[in-house]
Amino acid sequence: MGVWQLLLVALVLLLGLFGVLLPGVPGPWLVWAGVLWWSLQDTTAAAWWLLVGATVLLLVTQVAVWRLPPRRLRGVGVTRRMVVYAGVGALLGFVLVPVVGAVPGYVAGIYLTERSRLGGHGPAAASTRLVMRAIGTSVLVELFTCLLIVAAWLAVVAGV
């Protein structure tokens, strides 16, 4: 597989990661489509196993998300800024403390947004809990799954 094709697959995977954070965009399925496209071009056993693993993981995640309470964006005060901070926090956490750092990074991003908006720890902590109950858990589950799949793809491509 050529460098340009790998870059295009990486772009689709990146769009999928951002798509998880945007309501109405099928982020997990963009990630899966990127892995599918790559595995159809790179027909090694590792590519096919990654496709199978990603498919199973995404299906399990979808069942888990369906079982969670529905997202209730209205009335909670979720802003685009909060979504960006939460996504960047999850990405930084995932890189700084591999895999498990995504969860505290995501929550920290929401907390920092609320702390700057509300001005204190108490109100920011209460608002963070409210946001996590409303939308955070389902988005976090999808984002964490997609981050795992992208990390596995990077490991296979890098030959690790």
Side-chain angles (χ1 to χ4, degrees):
M1 181 172 235
V3 173
W4 289 109
Q5 282 184 318
L6 281 176
L7 287 174
L8 287 174
V9 170
L11 180 64
V12 170
L13 294 174
L14 187 63
L15 287 173
L17 288 175
F18 283 117
V20 170
L21 300 172
L22 300 172
V25 178
W29 300 114
L30 283 172
V31 170
W32 181 80
V35 172
L36 174 67
W37 177 22
W38 170 74
S39 65
L40 289 173
Q41 300 299 317
D42 183 0
T43 57
T44 63
W48 287 104
W49 279 112
L50 181 62
L51 177 62
V52 169
T55 302
V56 169
L57 192 59
L58 284 170
L59 288 174
V60 168
T61 299
Q62 287 303 307
V63 169
V65 167
W66 288 331
R67 305 256 320 145
L68 291 171
R71 296 180 187 178
R72 298 177 305 267
L73 294 174
R74 301 214 189 283
V76 179
V78 175
T79 63
R80 289 179 194 246
R81 181 177 178 206
M82 180 186 296
V83 170
V84 169
Y85 272 50
V88 168
L91 185 61
L92 286 174
F94 190 84
V95 171
L96 294 174
V97 182
V99 181
V100 296
V103 175
Y106 182 82
V107 176
I110 293 172
Y111 173 79
L112 289 174
T113 305
E114 291 302 279
R115 180 145 182 151
S116 69
R117 185 174 70 91
L118 299 173
H121 170 70
S127 181
T128 301
R129 283 191 296 277
L130 183 64
V131 168
M132 287 301 293
R133 281 189 204 111
I135 64 154
T137 308
S138 61
V139 172
L140 180 60
V141 168
E142 287 181 343
L143 183 62
F144 188 72
T145 300
C146 290
L147 283 169
L148 283 175
I149 292 168
V150 171
W153 177 79
L154 285 170
V156 170
V157 168
V160 176

